[in-house]
């Protein structure tokens, strides 16, 4: 039986009397966002007893009413504000979990080609056909993916879902970790997984140091009906005023992410002026634009953790790393963590301790290269294209043109992108 030292973080609150109750489990996943939910599902067929603690009560009902969903306009234009570009590797992970099959195929759009434009006439073009893959990625609504994951979670035998659950304190000792919830319940687990996003309670309580660097930009997101068909082509412009991405949605619609320092001024524009500004920034490639969701902005930061494991703790998803959205890879990297950790735990010997240092180190090592490569690439591109230094413009545009002329390098980039996050 583990011995828990008394700690200054333990508080006796009125709620404590309500539930002097300890839930015992092998593995506790804290955070039921896209990454935490996928991990809890992936651990479903292991011999471990799993619990999932999620703070938001509305996850259990219909995530369509959640903050990520903001319907705007007519009912056939009732689209989520937030969209994700899901890589082929993430898609097959979600297929193996039986989640991808739950999505409405009519609301998922493939990306068959991608055009990247530099800020001095350079260009880089990728195509799924040239690279021998079915699609470079698929655009999926955030709320639809979340609902599909939670519908599968609710059907998972043996999974204990604690929702809403608000962690107050975490004590870690040699044999187990104990999480105290605001309602007075304790959850004792041999492994606690922090899947609780960029402001991770688990990461902070475990004393894992993370550095956060703001980019001085926000990601302005909005969805549009377009005057011209996109032909399943995604476009990205590296501009003086940030990185603009247009991602194809089903029908003649597209989803925009504009990472820019001028988010406030953009959002202050009346709808018509906003649409005209976005259309002009994208060289009117899709004709006239009409908003179908209310635009919103998300401040962009880079977050790097010194470790993604510590005693009885593992981190996944944004709790472990936050990258710039210019490559649309944040959640893909998180799904890669979830898949890798589930594989390490599934492959553990019978009778193994899921929080054993050796297993956690194996997980950390398996993720080190992908995480570093993604941080390096997204950070490097964001800074190179954000630089006003003399000569920077020439170098970055020369780099884009050079890669475009080297089919082998291009194919290698695509294979890495479609295979990531494995
Ligand atoms: C503008 C923008 C565009 C993006 N576009 C893309 C894209 O196209 N493709 C892509 O791959 N990525 C994209 N990303 C990145 C992506 O949004 C994140 O990487 C992803 O959402 C992280 O998922 P997560 O589950 O790790 O964390 P979160 O989504 O933050 O989920 C954390 C969960 O934990 C819960 N929680 C928090 N604290 C606690 C607590 N103390 N106790 C219990 N539960 C808690 C929360 O309620 C939430 O459900 C984009 C990001 C931005 C800002």
């Amino acid at each position: 039986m583990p011995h828990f030292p008394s700690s200054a973080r333990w508080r006796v609150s009125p709620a404590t009397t309500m539930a002097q109750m300890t839930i015992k489990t092998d593995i506790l996943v804290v955070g039921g966002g896209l990454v935490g939910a996928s991990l809890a599902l992936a651990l479903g067929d292991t011999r471990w007893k799993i619990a999932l603690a999620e703070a938001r009560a509305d996850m259990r009902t219909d995530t369509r009413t959640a903050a990520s969903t903001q319907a705007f306009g007519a009912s056939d234009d009732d689209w989520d504000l937030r969209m994700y570009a899901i890589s082929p590797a993430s898609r097959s992970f979600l297929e193996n979990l039986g989640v991808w099959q739950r999505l409405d195929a009519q609301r998922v759009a493939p990306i068959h080609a991608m055009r990247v434009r530099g800020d001095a006439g350079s260009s880089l073009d990728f195509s799924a056909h040239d690279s021998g893959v079915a699609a470079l990625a698929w655009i999926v609504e955030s709320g639809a993916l979340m609902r599909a994951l939670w519908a599968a979670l609710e059907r998972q035998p043996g999974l204990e879902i604690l929702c809403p659950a608000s962690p107050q304190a975490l004590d870690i000792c040699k044999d187990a970790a104990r999480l105290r919830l605001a309602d007075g319940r304790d959850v004792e687990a041999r492994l606690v997984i922090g899947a609780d996003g960029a402001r991770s309670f688990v990461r902070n309580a475990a004393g894992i140091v993370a550095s956060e660097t703001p980019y001085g930009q926000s990601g302005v997101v909005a969805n549009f009906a377009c005057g011209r068909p996109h032909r399943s082509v995604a476009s990205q412009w590296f501009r003086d005023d940030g990185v603009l991405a247009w991602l194809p949605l089903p029908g003649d619609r597209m989803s925009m992410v504009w990472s820019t320092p001028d988010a406030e001024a953009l959002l202050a524009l009346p709808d018509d002026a906003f649409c005209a500004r976005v259309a002009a920034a994208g060289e009117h490639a899709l004709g006239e634009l009409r908003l179908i969701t209310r635009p919103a902005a998300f401040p962009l930061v880079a977050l790097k953790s010194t470790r993604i494991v510590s005693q009885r703790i593992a981190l996944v998803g944004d709790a472990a790393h936050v990258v710039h959205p210019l490559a649309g890879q944040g959640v893909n990297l998180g799904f890669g963590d979830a898949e890798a950790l589930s594989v390490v735990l599934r492959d553990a010997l019978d009778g193994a301790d899921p929080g054993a240092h050796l297993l956690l180190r194996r997980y950390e090592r398996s993720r080190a290269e992908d995480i570093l490569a993604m941080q390096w690439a997204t950070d490097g591109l964001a800074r190179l294209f954000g630089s006003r230094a003399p000569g920077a413009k020439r170098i970055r545009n020369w780099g884009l043109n050079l890669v475009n002329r080297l089919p082998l390098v291009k194919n290698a980039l695509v294979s890495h992108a479609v295979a990531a996050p494995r």
Side-chain angles (χ1 to χ4, degrees), residues 124-419:
L124 180 54
D125 297 297
F126 297 102
S127 100
H129 180 264
D130 291 350
S131 306
V133 292
L136 297 173
W138 287 265
I139 306 300
V140 178
E141 292 168 280
S142 164
L145 192 49
M146 196 76 93
R147 282 193 299 282
L149 280 160
W150 272 76
L153 278 179
E154 300 278 6
R155 282 169 184 75
Q156 178 154 302
L159 172 68
E160 175 129 26
I161 299 181
L162 307 161
C163 178
S166 178
Q168 300 292 290
L170 178 68
D171 273 286
I172 303 163
C173 73
K174 189 166 161 287
D175 300 322
R178 188 189 293 242
L179 188 75
R180 159 117 340 153
L181 302 178
D183 63 10
R185 286 181 295 177
D186 288 344
V187 189
E188 189 184 304
R190 290 194 285 166
L191 171 62
V192 173
I193 299 170
D196 48 347
R199 308 235 164 275
S200 172
F201 168 86
V202 172
R203 186 186 66 229
N204 292 332
I208 298 178
V209 177
S211 62
E212 195 176 293
T213 318
Y215 280 109
Q217 296 181 335
S218 291
V220 177
V221 296
N223 301 321
F224 299 87
C226 313
R228 278 191 222 144
H230 48 62
R231 301 183 204 288
S232 302
V233 177
S235 300
Q236 190 166 38
W237 292 266
F238 285 91
R239 299 167 43 89
D240 280 345
D241 54 359
V243 185
L244 172 68
W246 288 5
L247 305 167
L249 293 180
D252 293 339
R253 302 182 184 90
M254 68 95 169
S255 173
M256 173 193 83
V257 182
W258 192 344
S259 308
T260 172
D262 305 327
E264 247 178 70
L266 260 181
L267 290 183
L269 291 173
D271 287 357
D272 285 353
F274 181 84
C275 289
R277 179 82 193 279
V278 172
E283 302 165 329
H284 301 282
L286 295 179
E288 224 172 272
L289 302 179
R290 177 174 59 83
L291 274 169
I292 55 171
T293 54
R294 171 78 28 226
F298 300 86
L300 302 181
V301 296
L303 185 137
K304 293 178 188 168
S305 302
T306 46
R307 305 286 314 266
I308 61 167
V309 301
S310 70
Q311 190 179 17
R312 301 271 157 210
I313 303 292
L315 302 177
V316 292
D318 276 18
H321 40 67
V322 178
V323 295
H324 195 286
L326 64 83
Q329 288 295 336
V331 85
N332 290 302
L333 202 57
F335 285 140
D337 299 340
E339 186 172 27
L341 185 52
S342 68
V343 167
V344 166
L345 290 168
R346 190 173 305 119
D347 290 351
L349 296 176
D350 268 353
D353 172 353
H357 178 69
L358 205 69
L359 291 182
L360 299 186
R361 278 290 295 140
R362 195 172 296 158
Y363 160 65
E364 187 173 55
R365 273 199 306 273
S366 74
R367 296 304 294 146
E369 195 184 318
D370 274 349
I371 294 172
L372 195 68
M374 193 57 70
Q375 286 171 334
W376 184 83
T378 50
D379 211 46
L381 279 171
R383 294 192 196 288
L384 183 62
F385 277 90
S387 171
R388 302 274 178 275
K393 195 178 224 178
R394 196 162 42 83
I395 293 170
R396 61 203 179 209
N397 284 281
W398 173 80
L400 274 192
N401 278 333
L402 179 69
V403 174
N404 203 35
R405 285 197 299 269
L406 301 173
L408 285 179
V409 177
K410 259 185 3 181
N411 283 346
L413 282 175
V414 172
S415 345
H416 188 268
V418 301

Side-chain angles (χ1 to χ4, degrees), residues 31 33-35 54-55 59 82 84-85 167 195-197 317-318 328-332:
L34 297 174
V35 175
E54 163 57 43
M59 291 289 205
R82 292 293 301 272
Y84 290 104
D196 48 347
D318 276 18
Q329 288 295 336
V331 85
N332 290 302

